[in-house]
């Protein structure tokens, strides 16, 4: 039972354009969502997060949108840069002191 | 800045052998985690600890053991290695109040 789903295994975007990565979840008890970025042969690194009391959070080129009624969140990267090529994981939790549930990841490829 | 340090980075085990993956963090984090990541899948929680002397099972604990004798160290023990344990293992930590998890660089384990 996949509670957090990233349905696109990969995404290819032209440099300078917008990258949109999507994530769906099934558990309405989730109240905190995070995006992590992972380069090959490295551990995931935290990118941006959003609490369920908000519908948008911005940090520089990265914006996360949360649609609670649709149980959907998305990560927007504008403008996309070659260094953004990585695997992006969406994760959710229902308790800040508890475990995160992870999506399978989306591999983002930024084309020059 | 050491952060979360995992050793070894790569290891090949024979079926039935035992080994310990070491993990140490220097951020004085209370919470520590062990995850595994199989190809094309998200991270699965093996075990976690909320403080020295306290450990608990995650989603996929079978075949593993952990201990937490100090705040800094959280080793993961494989007692009888099986091919199904071929995976990339990530150790991670966080403070008690935050949701952001900090990861080590990963340990690649192959069981043959």
């Amino acid at each position: 039972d996949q509670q957090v789903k990233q349905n696109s295994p990969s995404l290819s975007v032209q440099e300078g354009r917008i990258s949109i990565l999507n994530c769906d979840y099934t558990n309405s008890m989730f109240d905190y969502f995070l995006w992590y970025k992972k380069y090959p042969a490295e551990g995931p690194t935290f990118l941006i997060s959003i609490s369920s009391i908000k519908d948008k959070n911005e940090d520089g080129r990265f914006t996360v949108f949360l649609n609670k009624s649709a149980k959907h969140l998305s990560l927007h990267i504008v403008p996309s840069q070659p260094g953004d090529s990585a695997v992006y994981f969406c994760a959710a939790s229902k308790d800040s002191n508890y475990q995160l549930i992870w999506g399978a990841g989306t591999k983002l490829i930024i084309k020059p | 800045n050491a952060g979360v340090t995992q050793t070894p980075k790569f290891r090949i085990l024979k079926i039935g052998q035992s080994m310990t993956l070491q993990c140490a963090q220097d951020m004085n984090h209370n919470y520590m985690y062990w995850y595994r990541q199989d190809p094309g899948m998200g991270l699965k929680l093996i075990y976690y600890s909320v403080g020295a002397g306290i450990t608990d099972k995650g989603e996929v604990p079978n075949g593993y053991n952990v201990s937490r004798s100090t705040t800094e160290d959280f080793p993961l023990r494989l007692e009888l290695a099986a091919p199904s344990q071929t995976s990339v293992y990530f150790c991670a930590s966080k403070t008690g109040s935050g949701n952001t998890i900090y990861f080590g660089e990963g340990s690649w384990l192959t069981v043959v």
Side-chain angles (χ1 to χ4, degrees):
Chain A
D1 175 29
Q2 268 191 296
Q3 297 187 67
V4 177
K5 297 178 186 178
Q6 293 177 257
N7 291 319
S8 299
S10 66
L11 175 67
S12 188
V13 173
Q14 201 74 36
E15 182 180 355
R17 305 292 292 267
I18 183 171
S19 295
I20 300 176
L21 296 101
N22 294 306
C23 179
D24 297 295
Y25 61 95
T26 57
N27 191 335
S28 57
M29 298 296 291
F30 288 144
D31 59 4
Y32 202 81
F33 305 88
L34 304 92
W35 284 94
Y36 277 77
K37 177 178 177 179
K38 185 182 179 303
Y39 293 118
E42 294 184 11
T45 55
F46 172 73
L47 194 56
I48 193 169
S49 62
I50 188 166
S51 162
S52 61
I53 62 172
K54 293 186 172 183
D55 54 19
K56 177 182 173 181
N57 189 28
E58 228 173 317
D59 184 1
R61 297 186 297 115
F62 303 92
T63 304
V64 56
F65 295 92
L66 176 62
N67 182 334
K68 289 186 289 292
S69 60
K71 295 192 181 70
H72 176 84
L73 63 155
S74 60
L75 174 68
H76 292 213
I77 306 173
V78 182
S80 300
Q81 298 175 354
D84 296 330
S85 294
V87 177
Y88 290 78
F89 290 98
C90 167
S93 74
K94 51 186 177 179
D95 183 330
S96 66
N97 290 331
Y98 200 59
Q99 57 181 292
L100 292 174
I101 306 299
W102 296 78
T106 296
K107 183 176 183 178
L108 177 64
I109 300 163
I110 305 301
K111 299 179 292 186
Chain B
N1 284 354
V4 180
T5 304
Q6 290 180 234
T7 56
K9 188 127 177 136
F10 301 97
R11 182 75 188 266
I12 298 174
L13 273 183
K14 293 186 177 177
I15 294 171
Q17 283 186 320
S18 301
M19 76 158 297
T20 300
L21 295 175
Q22 301 292 344
C23 176
Q25 53 92 9
D26 61 1
M27 298 174 282
N28 202 32
H29 285 172
N30 289 333
Y31 288 71
M32 294 189 75
Y33 306 84
W34 273 105
Y35 287 93
R36 61 177 284 172
Q37 187 193 9
D38 299 324
M41 306 289 285
L43 296 163
K44 299 288 186 184
L45 183 65
I46 305 171
Y47 270 94
Y48 67 101
S49 168
V50 301
I54 306 169
T55 63
D56 210 345
K57 296 177 180 178
E59 298 173 79
V60 290
N62 291 345
Y64 306 95
N65 276 302
V66 292
S67 59
R68 185 94 183 269
S69 55
T70 66
T71 300
E72 295 78 20
D73 300 299
F74 191 42
L76 177 72
R77 178 87 178 155
L78 285 74
E79 288 295 347
L80 291 169
S84 60
Q85 293 177 304
T86 294
S87 190
V88 184
Y89 292 83
F90 291 100
C91 180
S93 71
K94 78 174 186 76
T95 64
S97 56
N99 274 25
T100 304
I101 293 181
Y102 298 87
F103 285 86
E105 293 191 337
S107 296
W108 275 253
L109 178 66
T110 301
V111 181
V112 296

